[in-house]
Amino acid sequence: DLVSGRKDTSIVLQSLSLASFKGFPTADLRLHPFTMLIGPNGVGKSSVLQAIALLAALVQGTLAEFLRDQDWDYEDLPHLRAKNLRLGITATVQLGRSLVRWEIHCGTRNHPGIASPRVTRISNRGEETPLLQRDGRKMQRREETTGNWEGIEQNVRETLARVKTVKAKLRG
């Protein structure tokens, strides 16, 4: 802020939308600085917290790491009646002075993994600027200062070769 000379580094989760996640076919939650989840057993209080924990884990790790740490299988995430529907989590987050929407769409129960993450900045006027988007193995990131897109294409063979190289370095 201008008075203290410090940057605003606060992170506030404003909303959370779930699609085919655990016990929720769909759910939209508006969150406030103090939000209390109440209700009888089995209505999804823990599932909401698990969705938030999943997002938090993905900031610094992978879906596979999160599942391993929770001792879960991918099949534990999609809604039981959603065999052919894609799991989705969308969070609107205030990051300092920026409002950002983070969308994660995962494959069906038979096609595990994150299929298409997307990050969009929302201006004070409601204008949306995509910052990161992925479709399959193609990922694009927008450089904020220039507005130019940087493309990255994941190649399975290259990724496996890098993993083997890292494992060899760790052994040797």
Side-chain angles (χ1 to χ4, degrees):
D1 91 4
L2 294 173
V3 176
S4 68
R6 287 186 268 159
K7 283 187 168 186
D8 182 358
T9 57
S10 62
I11 301 172
V12 179
L13 181 60
Q14 293 188 341
S15 68
L16 185 70
S17 295
L18 306 174
S20 300
F21 181 78
K22 299 198 84 142
F24 291 103
T26 62
D28 290 310
L29 298 124
R30 301 291 166 238
L31 305 169
H32 303 280
F34 180 80
T35 300
M36 185 181 305
L37 301 174
I38 57 172
N41 291 342
V43 296
K45 300 178 301 292
S46 295
S47 294
V48 169
L49 297 175
Q50 290 164 347
I52 294 169
L54 171 59
L55 290 174
L58 290 177
V59 169
Q60 295 183 4
T62 66
L63 177 59
E65 291 167 342
F66 174 77
L67 293 172
R68 184 189 65 235
D69 292 345
Q70 299 296 317
D71 197 27
W72 291 348
D73 292 321
Y74 183 80
E75 294 80 24
D76 295 330
L77 297 179
H79 187 272
L80 292 175
R81 295 190 182 110
K83 288 185 178 184
N84 298 319
L85 297 177
R86 292 173 63 182
L87 160 82
I89 301 174
T90 301
T92 303
V93 182
Q94 186 77 41
L95 297 172
R97 295 184 179 172
S98 297
L99 187 62
V100 175
R101 184 175 54 245
W102 182 15
E103 302 171 67
I104 295 175
H105 301 280
C106 296
T108 63
R109 187 171 270 120
N110 296 331
H111 296 93
I114 297 175
S116 57
R118 188 176 325 272
V119 177
T120 305
R121 184 177 352 104
I122 304 167
S123 74
N124 294 338
R125 295 182 301 245
E127 297 167 343
E128 299 185 5
T129 304
L131 300 176
L132 175 80
Q133 52 194 23
R134 182 178 132 206
D135 186 18
R137 293 189 179 122
K138 293 183 180 182
M139 183 182 297
Q140 292 183 309
R141 179 185 75 85
R142 183 184 301 266
E143 173 58 49
E144 284 196 82
T145 55
T146 65
N148 295 331
W149 283 98
E150 174 183 64
I152 303 166
E153 187 163 347
Q154 180 184 8
N155 181 312
V156 174
R157 288 185 185 156
E158 289 176 14
T159 302
L160 290 174
R162 275 190 239 130
V163 168
K164 287 179 184 177
T165 302
V166 169
K167 284 182 178 179
K169 286 181 181 179
L170 291 173
R171 284 188 213 126

